[in-house]
Amino acid sequence: MEWGDEGVYEGHEGPILAVDWNPTQPLIASSGADHTVRIWDADTGEMIQIIQTRSDVGTVAWSPDGDTLVYSLEDGTLERLAFPRR
């Protein structure tokens, strides 16, 4: 995909609650009411990882260096995931 192209990222099985673009890599993280965080290749639209959680995921955010993903569960718990550079 090129900048300005539109695309549809299919995979969540419920409402998407948050999206964040990785600041250093072509990755997008999305979270949803289906108890998952999904990592997408922003260049191709391909889903490259699914993270199963125990509840809905309200927010998702990459660290400024793009190496860590943090997400919040509906009970207020924050989870952190190291994400190596590709």
Side-chain angles (χ1 to χ4, degrees):
M1 298 176 92
E2 297 293 323
W3 178 254
D5 287 350
E6 293 183 18
V8 176
Y9 291 48
E10 295 183 9
H12 281 284
E13 297 175 6
I16 296 171
L17 303 176
V19 175
D20 196 30
W21 196 289
N22 187 296
T24 62
Q25 302 181 70
L27 300 172
I28 297 171
S30 61
S31 63
D34 60 356
H35 299 196
T36 67
V37 173
R38 295 175 188 247
I39 309 298
W40 309 85
D41 182 312
D43 291 335
T44 66
E46 177 186 358
M47 184 179 7
I48 58 175
Q49 186 172 357
I50 300 173
I51 302 156
Q52 286 292 145
T53 66
R54 65 181 180 273
S55 67
D56 292 353
V57 184
T59 60
V60 63
W62 293 101
S63 61
D65 66 6
D67 290 344
T68 304
L69 182 68
V70 176
Y71 53 92
S72 66
L73 302 177
E74 68 182 350
D75 66 1
T77 303
L78 291 177
E79 300 280 340
R80 182 175 65 179
L81 175 68
F83 205 90
R85 294 185 185 269
R86 301 185 322 155

